[in-house]
Amino acid sequence: MNLFTKLKQREQEGTPIKVGLIGGGKFGTMFLSQVTRLPGIHVVGIADLFPSAVQSNLELVGWPKASYSAANLEEAVSKRTTHVTDDWRSLVEQPEIEIIIEATGNPMAAVEHCLGAFHQNKHVINVTVEADAFCGYGLALKAKEAGVIYSMAYGDQPALACELVDWARASGFKVVAAGRGHKWLPHYRHSTPDTVWDHWGLTAEQAKRGRLNPKMFNAFLDGSKPAIESAAIANGTGLDVPTNGLLFPPGSVDDIPTLMRPKELGGVLERAGMVEVVSCLTLDGQQIPNDIRKGVWVCIEADTDYHKNCFEEYKVVTDPSGRFMVNHKRWHLIGLELAISVASVGLREEATGFATSFRADVVAIAKRNLAAGEMLDGEGGYTVSGGLRPASISVENRYLPLGLAHNVVLKNAVQEGQAVKWDDVDIDTTTAAYKLRKEIEPKYV
């Protein structure tokens, strides 16, 4: 609990943590809106395919134009300003930069960026959890080989959930389940960028004001993002995932201890030690009060009478047996909290969560009947959504990871609700993402 003090010390010493950001969209902009308020962090450069859009976002969040007008990265270092570029390689090759933040949201590109940063001895904070979901363990291993740190992004729900699981285990509790909240009804699985705002609860005008990407937000709504983030939580904590995908049981925060018990004890879990997502809507679409839609939680068990009695004495909300309770963080603030990762990696050399195993995978599920010759458009699009599966089942059945279902052509028709398989697509086998995924499949399942 001393990160801010340490940041101030770095500022006083004139040795701020030097950062390069790849991707200046919503998440990156939220981080940039906060970093000017913080001592001890210097964003040396921002790389994006559309530098003018980044400059517009910097203006939106109050950066003076002079602060991001450095002609090159060397000038940015010497004058403590920021250079905006379209060349991500220049960031990872700049010797003064210590940490690369990958925030493009493009899983294929993210893998290439992470590997490139490792090669240049840079730590990486990976915001693009879509990449982490299908090859995060491979990225963690590559970082270890390079002697650098690979980290999840604090502010995103996977890192926050991993933190709660670590709290529980470091306190001596048995973790029964962990996960996040969501707004879910079964028909959302078919949502597209054309329908997302109707279901989300925003007007088109509000979405435009916030410069919100409908495809990205639809990835949350259609179940893809909850599956992706649940995979990251499972791979980061060693918890298992449901055999046939997330159940999305409806409930409030106080319902979680009752829901998140094994089935034989009246809950929804196949067994103890699982990841799950709790919906804030009843099955008929009614809002549940005191929901966990925007937060994360961990369910723990009092496995002795002494601990059960402690729960009772301290007025903990439990299940009817008094043995299961939940701890939670009700809100996550996305990029507004990312500096926690920067400080943790830069000051403590400690990741805010990373994949320690390959237990979970997210597979591409057809949203509708798909014909041979159609182009898959990845998470949040019009063709497929993400389904969470144990990695062993996914690999055995040759399911196509959702993170690789971008701009690939179907060779075979796939029926609505069915998983797309490797044999169904014509995929580029030369990409770094494909190669890394195939490297981990036979070794770690």
Side-chain angles (χ1 to χ4, degrees):
M1 292 184 284
N2 58 0
L3 289 177
F4 186 66
T5 299
K6 288 180 176 292
L7 285 174
K8 288 194 295 182
Q9 183 177 345
R10 288 287 291 264
E11 183 71 26
Q12 292 162 1
E13 293 170 350
T15 58
I17 303 166
K18 295 181 179 66
V19 174
L21 171 65
I22 306 177
K26 180 63 173 177
F27 199 112
T29 300
M30 294 178 83
F31 167 65
L32 294 168
S33 76
Q34 293 287 79
V35 75
T36 56
R37 305 165 180 263
L38 293 169
I41 300 175
H42 175 198
V43 179
V44 175
I46 306 167
D48 194 278
L49 293 175
F50 304 100
S52 61
V54 173
Q55 292 165 343
S56 176
N57 287 339
L58 289 169
E59 181 181 5
L60 175 70
V61 297
W63 278 43
K65 187 172 183 178
S67 68
Y68 56 89
S69 297
N72 52 56
L73 293 171
E74 289 68 31
E75 179 184 327
V77 170
S78 64
K79 295 184 178 180
R80 194 161 177 182
T81 53
T82 300
H83 175 59
V84 180
T85 177
D86 61 1
D87 181 11
W88 69 269
R89 289 182 177 83
S90 67
L91 292 190
V92 303
E93 293 171 359
Q94 211 291 323
E96 296 285 340
I97 291 176
E98 306 163 56
I99 299 172
I100 294 294
I101 300 171
E102 210 303 325
T104 64
N106 182 324
M108 301 285 285
V111 173
E112 184 178 2
H113 297 160
C114 290
L115 294 176
F118 299 156
H119 184 68
Q120 296 293 329
N121 298 309
K122 301 286 192 287
H123 306 308
V124 171
I125 299 167
N126 185 16
V127 175
T128 305
V129 69
E130 295 87 350
D132 194 87
F134 77 88
C135 64
Y137 189 43
L139 290 170
L141 291 173
K142 294 296 184 184
K144 185 177 181 180
E145 290 172 7
V148 296
I149 297 165
Y150 172 74
S151 178
M152 293 179 185
Y154 201 90
D156 248 357
Q157 286 162 304
L160 302 184
C162 288
E163 180 181 50
L164 283 178
V165 171
D166 188 61
W167 161 83
R169 288 170 171 165
S171 299
F173 291 113
K174 176 184 177 182
V175 174
V176 181
R180 50 161 286 176
H182 191 48
K183 179 181 180 180
W184 177 255
L185 290 172
H187 67 270
Y188 289 172
R189 179 73 71 187
H190 304 286
S191 179
T192 73
D194 295 333
T195 63
V196 60
W197 303 129
D198 295 337
H199 298 313
W200 190 266
L202 290 177
T203 65
E205 290 74 21
Q206 288 172 318
K208 184 177 180 181
R209 179 195 65 194
R211 303 186 181 186
L212 306 183
N213 182 334
K215 187 171 186 287
M216 187 269 285
F217 273 77
N218 193 57
F220 286 93
L221 191 73
D222 72 7
S224 298
K225 203 69 144 186
I228 288 166
E229 296 192 342
S230 294
I233 294 168
N235 292 333
T237 61
L239 296 172
D240 289 323
V241 300
T243 302
N244 296 309
L246 294 166
L247 299 174
F248 298 102
S252 70
V253 169
D254 291 343
D255 292 328
I256 294 175
T258 300
L259 291 169
M260 296 304 153
R261 302 176 295 175
K263 289 179 180 177
E264 64 266 22
L265 298 179
V268 304
L269 303 178
E270 293 176 30
R271 57 186 177 279
M274 305 287 288
V275 169
E276 191 50 81
V277 173
V278 176
S279 174
C280 69
L281 298 179
T282 63
L283 293 178
D284 61 358
Q286 299 301 306
Q287 177 66 46
I288 296 172
N290 193 27
D291 66 81
I292 193 70
R293 176 184 179 185
K294 296 293 186 179
V296 294
W297 51 269
V298 62
C299 185
I300 60 177
E301 180 183 2
D303 52 3
T304 70
D305 286 339
Y306 179 80
H307 290 135
K308 175 179 176 293
N309 293 339
C310 286
F311 285 178
E312 182 179 331
E313 291 157 7
Y314 285 91
K315 304 301 179 183
V316 172
V317 175
T318 68
D319 75 312
S321 75
R323 291 191 174 275
F324 296 86
M325 70 154 283
V326 66
N327 196 4
H328 69 278
K329 182 173 183 177
R330 192 172 180 193
W331 306 103
H332 74 297
L333 297 179
I334 313 92
L336 300 180
E337 299 180 85
L338 182 60
I340 298 296
S341 284
V342 175
S344 181
V345 172
L347 300 172
R348 294 177 176 164
E349 297 187 349
E350 182 176 276
T352 50
F354 65 96
T356 60
S357 60
F358 180 39
R359 308 180 72 85
D361 197 17
V362 181
V363 305
I365 307 291
K367 285 187 174 181
R368 53 177 173 77
N369 291 338
L370 301 175
E374 287 199 63
M375 179 79 75
L376 301 184
D377 57 355
E379 66 273 358
Y382 296 86
T383 57
V384 291
S385 61
L388 185 65
R389 298 292 187 274
S392 56
I393 290 176
S394 175
V395 173
E396 180 181 359
N397 289 282
R398 295 183 53 77
Y399 293 150
L400 179 70
L402 182 67
L404 291 175
H406 293 251
N407 299 322
V408 293
V409 177
L410 279 175
K411 295 190 297 184
N412 305 314
V414 181
Q415 297 301 302
E416 178 184 327
Q418 297 300 304
V420 181
K421 297 186 177 183
W422 289 106
D423 298 333
D424 293 325
V425 296
D426 185 10
I427 196 164
D428 183 355
T429 61
T430 67
T431 65
Y434 176 88
K435 291 177 180 178
L436 185 59
R437 168 60 185 234
K438 287 302 181 181
E439 187 177 328
I440 67 171
E441 278 190 359
K443 296 181 180 179
Y444 304 110
V445 175

